[in-house]
C-alpha cells in the first residue's frame, strides 16, 4: 500500500475536504471492516450511520452528506471517486515478476521492455508481447499471437494461435481466446468441420472473466472493441462483433455473427442467437433469449424469451399471473349466456 | 481396493445380515456391471430382479426386501449405507504423491505433514497448506492463500491470492476461486474498475465442480459455508454468502451480494440476481430466474422466471397451455353478445 | 498452405469447372478478405455480387449460379464442398511436435508412433495414446486413461483417471473429461458423497469445445458416441448417453442418466433434467427446459420451458402476447352482462 494524506487525495480527486487534511490513508475497505487508515465512501444518506460507526477516519461522501467526527471528501460521484482513489492507494501484487526460469519462450518471440512471465508459461513462435505486460503462470500464448502493452494475463489463460489483444487488456484465469467456432456442414450422414481459421481481435482496456471463451472467426474476424467488460463463463462465438464499452454479465452466450453495438448492457445468462443485431445503448435483461436474426433497437430495454420490450412484457405478465382468475370470470359469463 | 467380508461390513453399517457373512467384498458396482465381489444395493422392490440377476454375491437392501441366493445387508437407507460402504471399500488413487521435483514452491510457503504436490504445481509466497492435503498437477496457489487439512485439489485448480479453504475441501479441475468480481463504475463514457480486493472463504467439507468460478469480495467477503456442494460451471459472484449444506446444480449463477441460507436446494441453470435473499430450506427449480433484491421465504418451492411458488405457477401454466381455447370461448361469447 | 490448381480441386470435389483450370489456390477466405489465390464459395444468388467483387479468382458455386470473370467449380452443396476443399488446402500448425523435454510422461505410458507431446504436459501411469495423436501443452492425462489415434488435444485439457477417447477426437483447451458426477445422499443433516467411480467413453470423431465438462459415470458409464459435436461450456453429467452425430450448442447442460438419441440437434443454453429421453432426430430449441423424466419423441421440434412442440408453443404464445387485449375484451362483455 502507498500512503497518502486526506489532503493529497482531495486534490487528486478534486474533492471538497472538511476536517483533518493530514489524516493518513493506506488502504480501502467497507465501513464495517475498515481500520483508521482505510478509506471508505458513502453515496446515500441512508448509509450515513454505517460510515459514522466505522473506524475509518476519512470518508468520500456525496456533496449533501455531512458526517460527525470524520474527515470528509465531498464529490459529485462518490463511488467513482472511491474507485479512482483505490487505484492510487492499492498496489496489487504483480501476476509475475521477471521471466521465470521455467517459462518456455520461443526464440522468435518478441518481448517488450518490462514484460514479466510467470512459471511454466509457454510462449510460442512469432509472438509479440508489448512492454510491461504480465503473463501469469501456465499461460499459453499460441503461435503468432500478439499482445499489447501493460496487459495482465492471470495464471492459466490460453490464447490460440494468432489471437490479438490490445493494450491494458486484463484476462482472468481459465479464459480461452481464439478457440475454434462451432461450425459444421451436414452431409453424407455426418458433420464435416467448417474451417475455423479466422481472426480474433480484442481492443484496448477490455477485461475478460474467469473461464470465459471467445472463438476466432470461422472466416473473417471476431472483434471485441475497446472498453468491453465480460464477466465469468461468458461464451462469444465466431464472427461476433461487440462494440465499445459494452458490458456482459456472467454465463451469457452470443452466437455466431451477431452484432452488438456500443454501450450495450447485457445481463447474466442471456442467450443471443446467431445473426442478431443489438443496437447501441440497448439493455437486455438477465436470462432473456433473442432469436436468430432479431434486431433490438437502439436504447430499447428488453426482457424475456423471446425478448420483447420490458414495458410490454410487464403488461402481458400481469395477466399471465391472473390467468386462473380470467378463466373463472369467463366461465361465469358463459354460465350466464347458456 | 481393500477387501472386507459381508459380516465386517454389516457391523460397520449396523445392518441386519442374512446369508453368508464370510462373502468377500472388494469393490462396488451397478447390478449389471458387478462381479462376485462387488457390492450392490437395492432401494425399491421394483429393482429386485436387477439385483437377483446380478453376479454380485452381496447386496445392501431396504428392510422390506428379500433376495434369493444373495447375502443381504438390510438397512433403513440403502443408498446412504452404500455410499458409506463405498468409502470404506474404495481406495481412490491419490491426486499426487510426495512433492514432485517440478513443483515450484516458494520458500515461505508452510506445508503441513503429508502434503502432496503434483508436477508443475505453483505455490506462491506466504501460503499455508494443512496436513495431508493433496495438490494436483498445474494447480496455482496464489500468494497468501490458506488451505486446510485433508483437502483435495485436482489437477489445474486456481486460487487467486489470499483465498481461504477449510478442511476436507474438494476442488475439481478447472475451478477458479477468488477471481475479481464484476464491478465497474460508469463515468466519463467508460467503465472504471471498482476495487476487487475482498476475501473469499470456503468452509469445511465443501466440494466445488469442474470449471466453476467463485469471485472474491469486492470489499468484504464472499463466503461459502460448511458442507456446500457446487456442481460444474457454477458462477458465484462477489460478496455472496451461501449457508451450510446448500447444494447448487450445474451452470447456475448467483450475482453479487446475494444471501443464500442453509440447506437450500438450487437446480441447474438458475439465475439469481444481485442482493437476493434465498432463505433456508427453500428449493429453487431448474432454470428459475430470481430478480434483483427478491426474497424467497424459508421452505418455499419456487419455479419459473420471474420465480414464484411452484403451486401458483402450475395453476397459471395450466391456463397458458389452454390460451387458444380461452380465446375461442371468448370469441363465441362475443358473437352471442353482438 | 498446400498449393493446388482449380482443375485439381474440381477433380477432388467432383465439380463442374468453368474458366481457367490452371488458376492456383493456396488458401481459403471470406469473399471480402480473399486474395487472388484464396478459394471462396457462394451458395445463394443473393451473394453473387459479393463473390464477383472479391479478389478471389476461383469460386465454388451452386449449380445454378454463373459468375463473370471467375473460375467456377459448380457443385450441389457448395458449403460442404468448401469445407472439404479447406481440409485439403490448409495445413494447420501442429498442436505439438515431438515430445517436449519438459513433458512428464510416466514410464508405463504406452505412446504410439508419431505421438507428439507439448511442453509441461503430464501423462500418468498406465495410459495408452494411439499413433499420431497430438497432446498440447499443460494437458493432464490421468492414470489409466486411453486415447485413440490421430486425436488432437489442444493445450490444457484434463482427462481424469480412466477416461477413454476414440480416434480422431478433438478436445479444446479447458475441457475436462471424467470429473466426478454431482451425486450425494442426504443423511444426518449433511450430504455424503455417492461414489463417482464409473467410466467415461468418447467415440470416434467427437469434438469437444472450450471449457466443456463431461462427468464420468457414478457407477456404470457416461457415453458420447461417434461423431457428436459439443460446443463451449457445455455440461454433460454422469451416466448420460449421447447417440451418434448429435450436436449440442454452447452452455447447454444435460443432467444425470439422460438418454439422447442419434442425430439430435440441441440449441444453446438448453437445460435437460435427469432421466430424460430425447429420441433420435428431434430438435430442441435454444434455452428450452426439459423436466425430469420427460420424453421428447423422435423427430419432434420442441421449445420453451417446460419444453413443448414448437407449433403448439406458437399458438399459445400468440395469445400470451395478446393477453392485455383478451382481458379488455372480457371486461367489456362483463359490462354488457351486468
Amino acid at each position: 500500500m502507498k500512503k497518502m494524506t486526506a489532503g493529497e487525495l482531495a486534490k487528486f480527486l478534486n474533492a471538497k475536504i472538511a476536517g483533518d487534511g493530514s489524516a493518513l490513508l493506506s488502504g480501502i475497505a467497507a465501513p464495517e471492516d475498515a481500520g483508521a487508515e482505510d478509506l471508505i465512501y458513502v453515496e446515500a444518506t441512508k448509509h450515513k450511520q454505517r460510515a459514522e460507526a466505522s473506524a475509518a477516519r476519512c470518508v468520500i461522501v456525496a456533496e449533501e452528506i455531512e458526517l460527525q467526527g470524520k474527515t470528509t471528501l465531498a464529490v459529485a460521484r462518490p463511488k467513482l471517486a472511491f474507485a479512482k482513489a483505490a487505484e492510487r492507494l492499492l498496489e496489487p501484487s504483480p501476476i509475475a515478476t521477471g521471466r521465470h526460469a521455467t517459462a518456455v519462450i520461443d526464440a522468435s518471440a518478441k518481448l517488450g521492455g518490462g514484460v514479466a512471465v510467470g512459471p511454466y508459461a509457454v510462449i510460442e513462435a512469432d509472438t509479440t508481447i508489448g512492454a510491461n505486460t504480465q503473463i501469469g503462470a501456465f499461460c499459453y500464448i499460441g503461435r503468432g499471437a500478439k499482445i499489447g502493452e501493460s496487459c495482465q494475463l492471470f495464471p492459466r489463460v490460453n490464447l490460440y494461435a494468432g489471437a490479438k489483444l490490445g493494450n491494458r487488456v486484463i484476462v482472468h484465469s481459465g479464459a480461452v481466446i481464439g478457440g475454434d467456432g462451432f461450425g459444421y456442414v451436414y452431409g453424407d450422414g455426418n458433420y464435416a468441420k467448417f474451417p475455423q481459421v479466422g481472426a480474433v481481435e480484442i481492443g484496448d482496456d477490455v477485461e475478460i472473466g474467469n473461464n470465459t471463451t471467445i472463438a476466432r472467426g470461422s472466416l473473417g474476424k471476431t472483434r471485441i472493441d475497446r472498453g468491453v467488460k465480460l464477466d465469468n463463463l461468458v461464451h462469444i462465438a465466431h464472427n461476433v462483433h461487440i462494440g465499445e464499452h459494452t458490458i456482459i454479465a456472467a454465463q451469457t452466450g452470443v452466437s455466431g455473427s451477431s452484432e452488438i453495438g456500443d454501450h450495450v448492457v447485457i445481463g447474466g445468462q442471456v442467450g443471443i442467437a446467431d445473426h442478431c443485431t443489438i443496437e447501441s445503448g440497448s439493455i437486455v435483461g438477465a436470462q432473456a433469449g433473442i432469436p436468430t436474426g432479431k434486431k433490438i433497437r437502439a436504447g430499447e430495454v428488453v426482457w424475456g424469451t423471446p425478448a420483447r420490450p420490458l414495458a410490454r412484457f410487464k403488461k402481458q405478465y400481469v395477466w399471465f399471473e391472473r390467468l386462473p382468475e380470467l378463466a373463472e370470470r369467463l366461465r361465469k359469463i358463459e354460465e350466464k349466456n347458456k
Side-chain angles (χ1 to χ4, degrees), chain A:
Chain A
M1 303 287 178
K2 301 167 197 165
K3 296 216 176 191
M4 65 196 300
T5 66
E8 286 163 351
L9 184 59
K11 210 167 167 185
F12 169 66
L13 295 175
N14 207 8
K16 199 177 148 194
I17 190 167
D20 178 13
S22 71
L24 266 187
L25 288 163
S26 65
I28 63 162
E32 292 72 17
D33 307 326
E37 293 191 0
D38 285 326
L39 178 70
I40 66 171
Y41 77 102
V42 204
E43 277 196 314
T45 309
K46 63 176 175 181
H47 293 305
K48 242 183 91 159
Q49 277 193 315
R50 287 177 62 204
E52 286 180 339
S54 171
R57 274 202 296 254
C58 183
V59 187
I60 293 179
V61 296
E63 278 154 355
E64 68 282 7
I65 298 179
E66 284 179 27
L67 295 180
Q68 295 302 105
K70 303 288 181 192
T71 297
T72 55
L73 305 177
V75 295
R77 305 198 50 200
K79 195 175 177 183
L80 184 58
F82 182 76
K84 287 178 179 174
E87 225 177 294
R88 279 300 276 270
L89 284 164
L90 301 179
E91 243 171 328
S93 34
I95 293 170
T97 47
R99 298 187 191 172
H100 200 275
T102 62
V104 171
I105 304 175
D106 191 89
S108 64
K110 290 193 192 88
L111 275 61
V115 167
V117 184
Y120 300 127
V122 172
I123 300 177
E124 297 280 19
D126 304 320
T127 46
T128 307
I129 300 178
N132 301 315
T133 282
Q134 299 177 26
I135 307 279
F138 309 125
C139 281
Y140 180 82
I141 312 302
R143 175 183 288 263
K146 203 169 164 176
I147 303 177
E149 299 186 0
S150 300
C151 291
Q152 296 176 278
L153 275 63
F154 279 82
R156 177 157 58 97
V157 161
N158 280 45
L159 303 194
Y160 274 58
K164 282 186 192 153
L165 309 188
N167 300 312
R168 297 172 305 281
V169 174
I170 303 175
V171 190
H172 285 280
S173 296
V176 182
I177 298 173
D180 285 7
F182 194 63
Y184 302 93
V185 195
Y186 191 75
D188 312 328
N190 55 55
Y191 289 93
K193 190 173 169 80
F194 190 81
Q196 302 295 328
V197 296
V200 58
E201 292 182 8
I202 311 290
D204 294 344
D205 300 303
V206 169
E207 183 160 2
I208 297 168
N210 293 130
N211 288 350
T212 280
T213 65
I214 301 173
R216 67 189 322 107
S218 49
L219 311 172
K221 285 181 190 170
T222 302
R223 286 180 299 145
I224 313 284
D225 289 352
R226 189 160 61 99
V228 166
K229 313 295 182 189
L230 304 179
D231 200 350
N232 296 345
L233 294 165
V234 168
H235 164 69
I236 306 295
H238 54 91
N239 298 86
V240 165
H241 173 220
I242 302 181
E244 297 185 1
H245 305 299
T246 280
I247 63 171
I248 300 184
Q251 296 177 321
T252 282
V254 183
S255 303
S257 302
S258 279
E259 179 78 26
I260 298 176
D262 300 339
H263 292 284
V264 174
V265 175
I266 300 179
Q269 295 185 340
V270 168
I272 297 176
D274 57 295
H275 296 89
C276 290
T277 305
I278 315 295
E279 292 185 349
S280 293
S282 54
I283 298 178
V284 183
Q287 287 192 331
I290 301 185
T292 296
K294 171 124 181 149
K295 177 182 281 192
I296 304 298
R297 294 194 190 284
E300 236 177 11
V301 180
V302 300
W303 210 77
T305 300
R308 73 215 80 155
L310 179 59
R312 180 143 66 90
F313 179 84
K314 279 181 174 168
K315 272 184 208 143
Q316 295 159 354
Y317 186 73
V318 161
W319 291 108
F320 176 79
E321 282 276 310
R322 293 172 65 181
L323 270 176
E325 176 214 310
L326 276 189
E328 177 56 19
R329 282 166 54 191
L330 181 59
R331 197 195 57 75
K332 277 188 182 149
I333 300 259
E334 284 173 332
E335 200 75 16
K336 267 195 181 164
N337 281 264
K338 250 180 193 164

